Amino acid sequence: MDRIAGIINLDHEQDVLDELTYFRCSAAVPFAGRYRMIDFTISNMSNSRIESIAVFARRKYRSLMDHLEQGKAWDLDRKRGGLFILPPDWNDPTDISQGDLQHFHNNIDFITRTFADYVVVSGTQNICNINFRDVLEEHKASGADVTVVYKKVDELYPEHKRAHKLTIDESGRVTDIHNDQRSTNVYMDMYILEKNYLYRMIEDCIAHGCSHFFLDGIKARLPQIHIHAYEYEGAHALINSIESYYRHSASLINGANHEDLFKEEAPIFTKVKNEPPTKYSQDSKVANTLVANGCVIDGHVEDSILFRGVKVAKGAVIKNSIIMQRCEIDSNAVLENVILDKDCRISNSRTLIGVPEKPYVVAKRVSM
Amino acid sequence: MKKECVAMLLAGGQGTRLKSLTKQIAKPAVYFGGKYRIIDFPLSNCTNSGIDTVGVLTQYEPLILNSYIGIGSDWDLDRKYGGVSVLPPYVQSEEGGGWYTGTANAIYRNIKFLTQYEPDHVLVLSGDHIYKMDYSDMLDYHKASGADATISVIEVPWEEASRFGLMNTNDYGVITEFEEKPENPKSNLASMGVYIFRWDVLKRYLIDDAGNESSSHDFGKDIIPAMLGDYKKMMAYTFDGYWKDVGTVASLWEANMDLLEEKPELELNDHSWRIYSKSPNQPPQYISHEANVHNALINEGCRIHGSIDHSVIFYGVHVQEGSTIRDSVVMPDVKIGRNVTINRAIIAAGSVIEDGAVIGDPSLDSGITLVADEDSVLAKSYLEQIIK
C-alpha cells in the first residue's frame, strides 16, 4: 500500500469568523456541537490511513495545541510518524523563503524524513468526509503531477466568492484556475502529489521568490504541469465567514448532510471530554436540536445546537442559536439567532435577539 | 517499584441474576447510566483516589472486558510503573492450572503480581457496585487506626439488613462479629465488598487458606471469619453516600432510574469526581420536531423522533416517530421502529425493535421486562411472542 503523509496548511486561513476567531485560529473554531473545524481534516486523513501529519500553524494556535494534544483522539500518538504541530519558530540565517514557503522550507525535515510516497496538503475550511485513498487512486490513474479536489456546488453562496474555481476538460484535466463568480466548480483547498515532486517544487518556488505555494507553485505553472481534478461528491460546507458558519450549522440540524458527514465507517473524532449523558428535566422542551453530552436542560430549546456541558435553566428560551461549551443560560433568559462562544453566562431574564441573516455573536467568557 | 497501596478488582463474576444481560459478558462489563459499564465506577474511583496500580481479576467471559480495559488509558491508568493489569487464571509451574476457585483464591494466585510492588496495603474491590468513593480517605483511616483489615460498611434500612453481610462493631468501630445474611440482624452496617488489608497479614492468611481443603477460598466466608477468630484488629469504615448492588435486573433498573431524580444521590455531572469511560465517538444527539423528551438521560449518537419519558438512553439509539419509551433503560445501538411502546423495560445493546411492538407492562407492581440478545433476529422472535 502506498504511504501518504499529510500537511494541514493553516498559513492562508484568515481569522474571519469575527468574535469566534478573536482568540483562536479558524481551524480551532468549535463546530457541530462537539468538534473543531480541524477535526474533520484530521479525521479524514486518519481514516485514509495517513499516519504522519504536520500542522503548519501561524497565528493564535494556543487553543489548537490544547485541542490536538499528542493526537491521541485520532490515533496519531504513534512511535513512527504521528502528529506534528509546527508553529512558526525558525532561525535559519540563510533562509530566503517567504509566505507559506517559510513553513515548507523550515519544516522540510518532515517531508524528507517521512516514509511516505505521496503527500496530501489540505486546509480546514472545507468541512467534508473524504477518503484520500480514492483521491490517490484517481491521481495515479490520471498520470497527473498534482491532483486537486473540488466540489460541484448546486448553488453559489457568498462564501464561494473568495474560493478558487476550476475549469476542467472532459478528461478531468484542469485547464484553468480562476475566481470566476459564475463557476460552480469550487476548489476545496486540498491536493495530492508525489513527495519527491513536492520537494522539487518547494526548492524551485523558493529559488524564484514565491510566497504562496499553491498560487505561485501550482496555479502559475498550469500550462506546463498536468493538474487533474478529483470531484468530491459528498456533504460539503465551506466556512469562511460567520454567515456561512451559521447557515451550515443550521443545515446540519435539519438533517441535510448529516449521514453523509458522520459515517459509521469513517467517523469524525475529537478530543474526549468525559461528560455524562445529557439530562432533560420534567419541564424541558426540546425540538429540532443537536445536543452534545453533559448538558442539563430545564428550559425550552428549538432549532439550535448545544455544545458540551451547557446548562439551560427553567423558563429560558433558546431559538435558532448556537451555544458553545459550558455556557450557562439562567432562568427566563431569551436567546434568538445568537451564537455564544464558550463559557458565556446569560443572567436572569436577559434577552438577546439577532437577525437570521446576521446572528448576534458573543465572544468567549462574557457574562451579561 | 514500591507502591503504598495496590488495588485488586474482582471482575470474574458471572452475575447470573442479570439473566441474559450477562450471557456473553462478565457482570462488571454490564452497561449502566447511559454511558458507562459497571467497572467504570471502581476504576474511576481508583484514579480519582490516587491509586494508580490496579489488578483486574477476570475469569467469566473475559473477551469484552479485556478489550474494554485495554491498557487502561480511558481511566488514566496507562502508567510506566503500575497502571492496570488484567489478571486471568493461568497455569503455574509447580501447582499447575485451573480456574479461580473463590475470591481469596484469585488474590492468592496473584501473590507474585502483588509482591513486585511491595505494597504496605492491598485494597480489594468488587466490580458489582455503583458508587463514588474516595479510597484514599479509607486508607488514611485504616493507617491511623493501625488495623490489620478495614472493611467499608454502609448503613442499610433495618428491615433490609438480613439481605446483607453485616458487621457488628463496638463503640470504637472495631468489628467484633461478621454475620452473613442473618435472620435476626444485630447491626445494620452492611459490608460493601471494599476491603483494605495490611499486605503482610493478608498474605499469611491467603497462604493458610490455600492449604485448607475445607475452605471455599472466599473473603466473606473464610478469610474475614478466620481473621476475626484470631482477634486481628479489624475496623469498620462507615461510608456515607450512594451505593448500590446492581446484581439483579430489578436493581439495575432501579439504579438507572435513581439517576433521573431532580437531585440524584449519585451525581454523574461532577467535575471533581468524573466517572471515566471509553468514548463511543459519535456525533451529538438529535432531538427532532416531533420528539417529546422529559426526565431523561440521553447520550451521543442518538436520534430521537419519538417520546421519551423518565428513561435512560445509551449512545447510538434511534427512536422513530410515534414510539413511546417510559420508565425504561435502552442500552447502546438499539434501533426502535415506529409506533413502539416500551414500559418498565431494559432493552439490551444492539436489539432491533420492529414497528408496532409493545414491550413491558406499565403497572407499577409488574416486574421489569428484559429484552436481551445481541442477536437482533432473536430479539425479533422474542418480540413476536410478546405481540401475540
Side-chain angles (χ1 to χ4, degrees), chain B residues 39-76:
Chain B
I39 197 170
D40 288 334
F41 287 81
L43 287 177
S44 301
N45 286 341
C46 282
T47 297
N48 290 329
S49 304
I51 291 172
D52 64 7
T53 309
V54 184
V56 181
L57 300 134
T58 59
Q59 175 152 296
Y60 173 77
E61 286 288 347
L63 177 67
I64 287 177
L65 203 52
N66 285 349
S67 70
Y68 186 70
I69 294 168
I71 57 165
S73 35
D74 290 306
W75 305 270
D76 235 357

Side-chain angles (χ1 to χ4, degrees), chain A residues 125-163:
Chain A
Q125 294 183 328
N126 285 272
I127 305 285
C128 63
N129 193 323
I130 188 170
N131 187 338
F132 290 114
R133 291 276 154 194
D134 296 343
V135 183
L136 177 62
E137 285 318 304
E138 209 175 294
H139 173 71
K140 281 163 64 180
S142 72
D145 298 312
V146 181
T147 293
V148 294
V149 179
Y150 77 102
K151 169 80 182 177
K152 200 163 174 49
V153 296
D154 297 332
E155 204 175 332
L156 286 165
Y157 284 98
E159 69 259 27
H160 299 127
K161 269 190 186 163
R162 262 174 289 169

Side-chain angles (χ1 to χ4, degrees), chain A residues 5-66:
Chain A
I7 292 176
I8 300 179
N9 186 1
L10 308 180
D11 241 28
H12 299 292
E13 295 191 346
Q14 267 139 31
D15 306 326
V16 285
L17 296 186
D18 302 350
E19 284 85 348
L20 303 185
T21 44
Y22 278 3
F23 308 110
R24 54 169 92 85
C25 55
S26 77
V29 166
F31 181 68
R34 70 194 294 255
Y35 306 96
R36 307 262 184 166
M37 302 260 286
I38 198 169
D39 290 347
F40 293 85
T41 316
I42 300 194
S43 301
N44 286 337
M45 288 186 173
S46 158
N47 290 334
S48 308
R49 282 163 294 154
I50 297 179
E51 287 170 351
S52 191
I53 299 175
V55 180
F56 289 177
R58 175 76 74 167
R59 293 169 301 270
K60 302 184 195 172
Y61 48 78
R62 188 205 61 80
S63 102
L64 187 70
M65 293 177 77
D66 177 54

